[in-house]
Amino acid sequence: ITMKTSSAFTLKATGKEGTLDWRLFFEKDGKTVSPFHDVPLKADASGKIFNFICEIPRGTNAKLEISREEKFNPILQDTKSGKLRFIHDKYPFNYGAFPQTWENPLVKHPDTKAFGDTDPLDVCEVGAAVGTTG
């Protein structure tokens, strides 16, 4: 698996990383866009390669996620009780989501019996490359 950043999109950070104010926005042609809605699921015409939004790079422990609530859905650090969240150990893989997907909370998976969590489909990329957020 080869990981690369799409040349169609650029990233713009606001606020100081590691603070409640930090946000990572996606831009295309100089305009802010949503990684949920504006990044295509399929990366090429063959339909065999998919775009992956890396929220948490391998080897890090800050709990980053695409915001469902904020305009343009930037990546931000999750909070609990007003404090930034970290997991107890570093992620052993690149963690993120497929764009333009959504797990419906009204649908029960036939095998797991679990309902969707209203997030995009989770992805664990287990290759050798260390991703970057975005």
Side-chain angles (χ1 to χ4, degrees):
I1 292 177
T2 301
M3 293 180 54
K4 66 177 189 170
T5 303
S6 170
S7 60
F9 296 92
T10 56
L11 302 172
K12 180 180 179 181
T14 63
K16 184 178 180 192
E17 192 170 359
T19 69
L20 295 170
D21 296 323
W22 180 81
R23 302 290 183 272
L24 187 65
F25 290 92
F26 286 65
E27 294 184 339
K28 183 175 182 180
D29 300 324
K31 296 181 180 177
T32 304
V33 297
S34 166
F36 275 165
H37 308 293
D38 300 312
V39 175
L41 174 60
K42 301 209 174 157
D44 69 353
S46 77
K48 296 178 182 179
I49 299 174
F50 294 84
N51 282 313
F52 163 67
I53 307 297
C54 185
E55 294 168 294
I56 306 169
R58 179 168 57 101
T60 65
N61 69 339
K63 178 71 173 88
L64 304 178
E65 64 182 15
I66 302 169
S67 171
R68 292 189 317 247
E69 293 81 24
E70 292 189 20
K71 186 175 181 178
F72 297 114
N73 312 108
I75 295 175
L76 51 77
Q77 190 162 351
D78 192 26
T79 60
K80 186 172 186 177
S81 301
K83 294 184 179 184
L84 297 173
R85 284 185 64 196
F86 295 87
I87 63 159
H88 66 300
D89 205 355
K90 296 187 185 299
Y91 275 75
F93 43 73
N94 296 305
Y95 176 85
F98 282 134
Q100 298 193 16
T101 61
W102 182 69
E103 293 187 82
N104 189 332
L106 302 176
V107 175
K108 183 194 277 187
H109 190 279
D111 297 325
T112 66
K113 310 297 185 226
F115 288 90
D117 63 2
T118 72
D119 281 343
L121 187 63
D122 294 324
V123 178
C124 296
E125 192 282 319
V126 294
V130 175
T132 57
T133 303

